[in-house]
Amino acid sequence: MEVDLLMSIIEQYGYVAIFFLLWLGIVGLPIPDELVVATGGFLASIGMLNPWYSFLAGYLGVASGLTIGFLLGKYFGKPILQWLCKTEKMRNAVNRSTGLLEKYGTTALCISYLFPVVRHVVPYLVGLGGMTFRRYAMLSYPIGLVWTIGFYFLGHVFGNNVEAIIEVIRKYGFYALLVIVVVLVVVFFVRKHFMGNRAYRAKGE
């Protein structure tokens, strides 16, 4: 149902919808960010959106969300943290994010992308902790780009089935994502080999 809803919104408002749906993810919009990016990829694959503009809108939405989260943590600090901890779900996310930062330090910015909600909380915490924006940007924007490429590609390849795939990734995390990436790489090379052999045979005939 979420894919149908997203398709309807994006069809109506285009690239602006992709950007703002991702931008609003930072304040808890109840639609998975992964699904927004993947839906953009799917609509590009069927010719409803320009693939470059669709991807760019997705990445800019992700980057803007990362920036806002960091700035809110840096300049508003504890009031934002208190607001985040009002619900049990968010308290758990804050505790998990704090645990990642304590265990992995600034590397947690990269690791947090594997966990829904946590990846939105970590920017608040590092901003609150006094990290410079330059260091934050150098760590978060490249991994945000890789994350966007990954889910955009999933949407482009799997189309309407992407909602089920994302649900598996959200449930089983890194291991499910790793398996899917391996399968995609294998399929890509098998298809490339098959197409190359077919072109060679056609040329020989």
Side-chain angles (χ1 to χ4, degrees):
M1 181 61 187
E2 285 183 339
V3 169
D4 295 334
L5 173 62
L6 283 172
M7 286 180 63
S8 176
I9 294 172
I10 294 172
E11 284 175 20
Q12 186 171 358
Y13 299 104
Y15 311 107
V16 173
I18 296 174
F19 174 85
F20 278 106
L21 286 169
L22 289 164
W23 184 77
L24 290 170
I26 199 69
V27 294
L29 187 74
I31 297 176
D33 295 347
E34 303 96 329
L35 200 54
V36 178
V37 174
T39 301
F42 170 50
L43 292 176
S45 73
I46 60 176
M48 294 190 66
L49 295 176
N50 179 287
W52 294 106
Y53 293 159
S54 176
F55 174 79
L56 184 61
Y59 177 62
L60 290 177
V62 169
S64 67
L66 289 170
T67 304
I68 291 168
F70 175 83
L71 294 176
L72 286 174
K74 190 171 185 66
Y75 293 108
F76 295 94
K78 290 183 179 179
I80 291 291
L81 194 59
Q82 291 169 354
W83 176 75
L84 285 173
C85 291
K86 282 185 177 180
T87 65
E88 184 177 352
K89 179 181 178 181
M90 291 306 297
R91 279 197 301 273
N92 291 336
V94 169
N95 291 335
R96 195 173 188 183
S97 302
T98 303
L100 284 175
L101 286 166
E102 289 175 350
K103 187 174 183 179
Y104 298 106
T106 54
T107 309
L109 276 169
C110 304
I111 299 171
S112 67
Y113 269 84
L114 299 173
F115 307 105
V117 184
V118 170
R119 64 173 164 265
H120 292 312
V121 175
V122 169
Y124 289 119
L125 297 180
V126 296
L128 177 62
M131 180 183 286
T132 65
F133 180 75
R134 180 179 179 182
R135 180 164 177 75
Y136 174 75
M138 289 176 64
L139 288 167
S140 63
Y141 293 160
I143 193 66
L145 177 62
V146 171
W147 182 89
T148 305
I149 290 171
F151 283 101
Y152 183 88
F153 186 60
L154 282 177
H156 203 280
V157 172
F158 290 105
N160 275 327
N161 298 313
V162 76
E163 186 172 4
I165 292 169
I166 287 173
E167 185 61 32
V168 170
I169 292 172
R170 288 172 70 87
K171 185 175 181 180
Y172 296 104
F174 174 76
Y175 297 106
L177 182 59
L178 182 62
V179 169
I180 290 170
V181 169
V182 170
V183 170
L184 283 174
V185 170
V186 170
V187 169
F188 173 77
F189 281 108
V190 168
R191 181 180 295 178
K192 186 176 181 181
H193 178 73
F194 176 75
M195 294 297 291
N197 286 343
R198 191 166 67 176
Y200 178 77
R201 288 196 299 269
K203 186 176 179 181
E205 293 173 358

